[in-house]
Amino acid sequence: MIKFFLMVNKQGQTRLSRYYEHMEIRKRTMLEAEVIKNCLSRSKDQCSFIEYKDFKLVYRQYAALFVVVGINETENEMAVYELIHNFVEVLDKYFSRVIMFNLDRVHIILDEMVLNGCIVETNRSRILAPLCVLDKVAE
């Protein structure tokens, strides 16, 4: 099961966070700081899977953006690694350039892909279908 999903820039600033288990804000802030420090300090030659406390971290770097997913021990790391890549490809397909001004859309995309910490959809056209409807209504 997925515990959390983070998008972080190289400066260590969290750009997107989604938690699938309840956690107090103070604990979230501390967890994010530790997770970001662990991922940013690693070289590109090192493995993208990290054992951390009672869960695992799976991360990928895309230019100046890191996508970090915290999972429990039973979740398949490679499936989550591919989920991250699929998520970034969907973002790339939907947005032409700037995504940080459209965080509501990014949340919709993530919600279409992950529900209650479980991967539910990977088909790009199905993921983008609700956004296409919203875009048509907005016109």
Side-chain angles (χ1 to χ4, degrees):
M1 182 175 152
I2 296 174
K3 295 181 173 232
F4 60 85
F5 195 101
L6 302 173
M7 288 175 65
V8 181
N9 67 13
K10 276 191 174 179
Q11 290 76 35
Q13 299 168 322
T14 303
R15 295 297 181 198
L16 170 96
S17 66
R18 171 78 70 188
Y19 288 83
Y20 297 100
E21 291 182 347
H22 175 72
M23 189 181 295
E24 295 175 10
I25 298 293
R26 187 179 56 78
K27 288 184 179 180
R28 284 184 186 186
T29 306
M30 289 176 16
L31 174 74
E32 287 178 22
E34 291 175 20
V35 164
I36 291 165
K37 187 176 100 177
N38 280 336
C39 292
L40 291 177
S41 66
R42 296 173 65 89
S43 72
K44 290 186 179 189
D45 298 332
Q46 290 180 297
C47 181
S48 294
F49 309 142
I50 305 171
E51 299 256 344
Y52 178 78
K53 294 190 178 181
D54 62 335
F55 54 90
K56 298 176 189 174
L57 300 174
V58 179
Y59 72 94
R60 287 185 89 154
Q61 181 181 359
Y62 295 91
L65 189 69
F66 284 81
V67 181
V68 184
V69 180
I71 59 173
N72 64 12
E73 306 82 29
T74 60
E75 189 71 42
N76 183 336
E77 296 97 341
M78 287 304 294
V80 174
Y81 192 72
E82 286 299 315
L83 170 73
I84 294 170
H85 187 67
N86 192 27
F87 175 71
V88 171
E89 285 182 338
V90 171
L91 292 178
D92 189 46
K93 184 175 181 180
Y94 184 74
F95 297 105
S96 58
R97 276 264 202 223
V98 180
I99 64 169
M100 290 305 134
F101 297 122
N102 298 302
L103 276 178
D104 58 331
R105 304 294 173 148
V106 176
H107 278 279
I108 291 170
I109 290 170
L110 184 57
D111 289 344
E112 288 295 316
M113 297 178 78
V114 180
L115 179 66
N116 293 329
C118 298
I119 301 168
V120 293
E121 187 61 69
T122 58
N123 183 300
R124 288 184 200 119
S125 59
R126 289 184 187 153
I127 293 166
L128 293 175
L131 290 174
C132 293
V133 171
L134 286 173
D135 291 343
K136 285 182 183 176
V137 169
E139 292 174 356

